[in-house]
Amino acid sequence: MTNIADAKLIHRVALRGEAILTSPRWNKGTAFTIDERKAFALTGRLPFRVNTLDEQCDRAYDQLEARKEPLRKNTFLQSLKDQNWVLYYALISRHLKELTPIIYTPTEAEAISNYSHLFRRSEGLYLTFPTADAMEEDFLEQTKGRQIDLIVCSDAEQILGIGDQGVGGIGISAAKSVIYTLLAGVNPANSLSVTLDVGTDNEDLLRDRLYVGWPHKRVRGQEYDDFVDRFVQLVRKHYPHSLLHFEDFGVTNAKRLLDKYRDKHAVFNDDVQGTGAVTLACIMSAVGVTKSKLADQRFIVFGAGSAGLGIARQIRDGMVTIDGMDKDEANKRFYLLDRFGLIKESLGAEKIREGVQEFVRPDAEWEGVPANDQGEIGLLDVVKKVKPTVLIGCSTKAGAFTEEVVREMAKGCERPIILPLSNPSKLHEATPEDAMAWTDGKALLATGSPFPPCKLPNGKEYVVAECNNALIYPGLGFGAMLSKARELTDTMIIAGTRRLASLAPALKNPDDALLPDFEEAPEVNYEVAVAVVEQAIEEGGAGVDWKKEEVREKVREAQWKPLYGTYVYDPKGQT
């Protein structure tokens, strides 16, 4: 993994004239030096003055500021990425906290939903069901001559809380790849964004005369599985040491596909594992504040979709690995609720979907507990009986953590851990201000979107952590890539999670955040990547011969940085 953007490196490049100016990987724009302009036939193609990267960033930021709507900012930055990678990543790195919501959630969701109407040029690899026979040819044409370390793939069935977006799924694959580069240092030349266009059940898209994807109902069943399998086999065959990141697959496929392939290749699903990992890190820092253990907690997970299940499993695995609990015993610490209320035996097979069986509660526990006329038990009655220490929301049901629910929880524990994680902020189960007020200042809080600090009864401010996957998934993935592990194991994920939790400001000041600030995400992900590689080496799964004491330096050397190198024209050089 060479760092193509190290300013001390000399790059031998075969492109000249218009070709180098239209290559986002090599284009410097007005930063080409006088000598480079002569060598690459650019003297008459650029204005006279040579700019520094800082000057280019200032100019680009001024142009960005002239666009007031987030979507217009998003399209400007997309255009910049199409022109000049170094400038794009350098600009965002200088304004990380401000611009990440523009290129990622929440603004990217709007851009994806309007993908066919904003389309200007292709990005990444589009693998479409009716052209499946040409999949290998298309794949190899797109990756020819490239080192591929990261492949981010989506079938777009469940995009960022806005549902099925068809071919627009390329937008989330590309956005995730960008975050890997920004926050972990993955070389953008070595990543591939992919959408599996298997149709869409979004009627608005199917009726849209400008829709650019395959206008067909979503393929399911064996045909779907065969299509995905063909793609995964290509990845395994041609890039056996790459990381395959599945993103925003539907609830029926996300965990199923992860389980199917994770022991065959280094596969990662951010919705299942990333959300679970960052939530586990948050809870680990909270139990550090309360001087307790994971095994001491009682968990209610409100919302048992891919995220909720992923969170429950990741915390459960943490209890097994860190506290040495038996897996079945750890499962008993969890109470999951979905649209049918508490998931318990008597709901029956029709209401208990695949994947939640290990967390189903026996009916005998709930004799005498109030239920509706369908036998469903709601959140408040579960809280009254369980007396949870941790309440996690990933339901997208705004206001579900009512004052009565929160006050009831606060009766049963000294420092209730409350995590309303649904995105965007308008869908949060409770606001931090309300949760803190209803617990008389006792709550330990984290949210799925950024919130300002809230007041404690003593007048101090409580810093609300943002439980953002981007604090951990780029480091987990980069660590897997660097270690060349054939599998991203649970223990590797736990190692990265423990490293993130150890960086929590709350461990030094209980009124501070349960997770580091997002501004620190690049350094946090570096630490996570180091922990993952160290664990891979320790458990014998690494494909590199590094010693553990070398890992920190090796990871730092491998990180790509948005800096301009020196170019020398060479007809046999890189293109």
Side-chain angles (χ1 to χ4, degrees):
M1 288 191 181
T2 56
N3 183 346
I4 65 166
D6 187 333
K8 296 179 182 178
L9 289 180
I10 295 176
H11 310 295
R12 311 192 78 82
V13 184
L15 303 176
R16 295 183 85 228
E18 192 70 16
I20 197 169
L21 287 177
T22 55
S23 168
R25 177 179 180 179
W26 298 113
N27 181 27
K28 293 185 182 183
T30 56
F32 280 107
T33 66
I34 297 299
D35 288 342
E36 288 171 338
R37 295 179 187 205
K38 292 177 181 176
F40 290 91
L42 298 175
T43 302
R45 296 175 185 270
L46 293 168
F48 175 77
R49 184 175 170 187
V50 175
N51 284 130
T52 66
L53 180 56
D54 282 338
E55 289 171 335
Q56 288 183 314
C57 285
D58 289 343
R59 179 165 58 235
Y61 187 72
D62 286 346
Q63 294 176 66
L64 181 70
E65 285 293 275
R67 293 155 172 81
K68 300 306 178 184
E69 298 84 5
L71 186 59
R72 292 194 66 209
K73 292 178 185 286
N74 176 284
T75 55
F76 172 81
L77 289 171
Q78 179 64 37
S79 175
L80 187 61
K81 184 172 68 161
D82 291 341
Q83 298 171 56
N84 183 328
W85 285 351
V86 169
L87 178 54
Y88 171 80
Y89 286 106
L91 174 64
I92 298 171
S93 295
R94 285 159 170 76
H95 305 276
L96 186 64
K97 200 166 183 176
E98 175 189 354
L99 296 186
T100 298
I102 299 296
I103 62 165
Y104 189 45
T105 180
T107 309
E108 184 61 21
E110 185 179 0
I112 290 169
S113 67
N114 287 283
Y115 181 77
S116 293
H117 292 259
L118 297 173
F119 184 85
R120 285 183 293 196
R121 60 179 294 178
S122 60
E123 178 180 26
L125 176 61
Y126 303 79
L127 297 177
T128 308
F129 184 78
T131 60
D133 289 344
M135 184 185 291
E136 184 163 22
E137 180 184 347
D138 295 340
F139 182 85
L140 293 177
E141 182 64 31
Q142 186 78 313
T143 60
K144 182 170 55 181
R146 296 173 62 187
Q147 174 183 325
I148 301 295
D149 299 313
L150 169 68
I151 298 171
V152 182
C153 168
S154 178
D155 76 347
E157 187 172 7
Q158 195 58 54
I159 296 284
L160 293 173
I162 59 173
D164 187 339
Q165 296 300 318
V167 77
I170 194 67
I172 192 60
S173 297
K176 285 285 184 178
S177 297
V178 165
I179 298 297
Y180 269 109
T181 296
L182 275 174
L183 303 186
V186 175
N187 188 331
N190 298 346
S191 65
L192 177 68
S193 304
V194 179
T195 186
L196 301 179
D197 185 357
V198 292
T200 178
D201 291 336
N202 185 327
E203 292 294 338
D204 290 338
L205 294 180
L206 292 174
R207 289 192 297 266
D208 187 349
R209 65 184 181 84
L210 295 180
Y211 180 56
V212 296
W214 182 42
H216 193 281
K217 282 286 189 179
R218 182 172 286 271
V219 173
R220 301 191 182 277
Q222 192 60 49
E223 287 185 315
Y224 173 90
D225 284 357
D226 290 346
F227 186 75
V228 174
D229 193 65
R230 181 179 293 199
F231 167 68
V232 175
Q233 297 312 319
L234 284 178
V235 173
R236 294 182 63 206
K237 174 182 175 181
H238 297 288
Y239 297 100
H241 292 294
S242 65
L243 176 75
L244 177 55
H245 177 127
F246 286 125
E247 183 66 27
D248 285 347
F249 282 70
V251 68
T252 58
N253 292 319
K255 182 66 166 55
R256 183 177 67 86
L257 293 176
L258 177 65
D259 289 343
K260 181 177 180 179
Y261 296 113
R262 66 177 306 179
D263 62 348
K264 300 178 178 67
H265 191 84
V267 177
F268 180 72
N269 186 306
D270 188 39
D271 307 295
V272 176
Q273 296 163 295
T275 301
V278 74
T279 306
L280 172 58
C282 191
I283 293 169
M284 288 174 66
S285 62
V287 300
V289 172
T290 61
K291 310 298 183 188
S292 58
K293 299 189 300 182
L294 285 171
D296 297 331
Q297 313 308 314
R298 297 177 299 280
F299 300 89
I300 289 181
V301 180
F302 186 71
S306 294
L309 271 175
I311 288 169
R313 290 192 181 103
Q314 199 69 65
I315 298 170
R316 185 270 316 282
D317 292 345
M319 295 165 77
V320 171
T321 301
I322 297 167
D323 292 340
M325 286 190 75
D326 174 77
K327 181 178 177 180
D328 291 337
E329 191 61 32
N331 285 338
K332 295 177 183 177
R333 300 289 196 276
F334 292 86
Y335 302 80
L336 274 58
L337 292 91
D338 60 11
R339 62 194 179 98
F340 302 115
L342 177 71
I343 298 176
K344 58 186 179 71
E345 291 174 342
S346 58
L347 288 181
E350 290 185 1
K351 292 184 178 180
I352 299 176
R353 67 179 183 79
E354 186 178 351
V356 304
Q357 284 80 4
E358 58 193 339
F359 298 110
V360 175
R361 306 304 304 195
D363 284 343
E365 288 181 349
W366 300 90
E367 291 181 5
V369 176
N372 65 17
D373 54 6
Q374 281 83 45
E376 300 164 355
I377 300 176
L379 177 60
L380 178 60
D381 290 305
V382 176
V383 170
K384 287 179 177 179
K385 179 173 176 61
V386 171
K387 296 180 171 50
T389 59
V390 183
L391 180 59
I392 301 169
C394 34
S395 65
T396 67
K397 187 175 179 181
F401 295 171
T402 63
E403 180 173 0
E404 190 175 7
V405 165
V406 173
R407 288 194 180 279
E408 184 65 36
M409 180 186 181
K411 292 178 185 177
C413 60
E414 181 58 32
R415 298 298 304 272
I417 301 167
I418 302 177
L419 311 178
L421 302 181
S422 291
N423 279 315
S425 55
K426 66 181 181 180
L427 299 180
H428 271 47
E429 288 80 5
T431 66
E433 293 85 354
D434 284 342
M436 192 60 77
W438 296 336
T439 59
D440 299 321
K442 298 190 301 179
L444 294 166
L445 296 169
T447 55
S449 297
F451 276 89
C454 54
K455 289 288 186 182
L456 295 170
N458 61 12
K460 291 183 179 180
E461 287 193 332
Y462 179 82
V463 181
V464 181
E466 182 185 355
C467 203
N468 190 323
N469 296 18
L471 285 171
I472 193 168
Y473 84 77
L476 292 175
F478 195 42
M481 295 174 224
L482 292 178
S483 70
K484 296 191 180 300
R486 290 300 185 103
E487 180 182 356
L488 178 54
T489 63
D490 290 336
T491 46
M492 290 163 68
I493 294 174
I494 293 291
T497 303
R498 295 181 81 166
R499 186 65 56 87
L500 171 58
S502 73
L503 303 173
L507 298 180
K508 296 180 180 178
N509 175 4
D511 292 337
D512 213 333
L514 294 176
L515 291 172
D517 188 86
F518 192 77
E519 290 279 7
E520 301 170 40
E523 193 59 28
V524 167
N525 277 288
Y526 164 76
E527 291 291 340
V528 170
V530 168
V532 170
V533 178
E534 289 174 341
Q535 180 64 30
I537 292 172
E538 185 173 312
E539 64 190 43
V544 294
D545 59 0
W546 303 346
K547 296 180 175 65
K548 283 183 70 173
E549 54 269 24
E550 298 178 302
V551 171
R552 300 189 72 82
E553 182 180 354
K554 294 286 189 181
V555 174
R556 194 65 84 186
E557 288 175 353
Q559 289 184 303
W560 185 90
K561 299 293 183 184
L563 302 167
Y564 291 129
T566 299
Y567 295 176
V568 174
Y569 177 66
D570 181 350
K572 297 181 180 179
Q574 298 184 77
T575 58

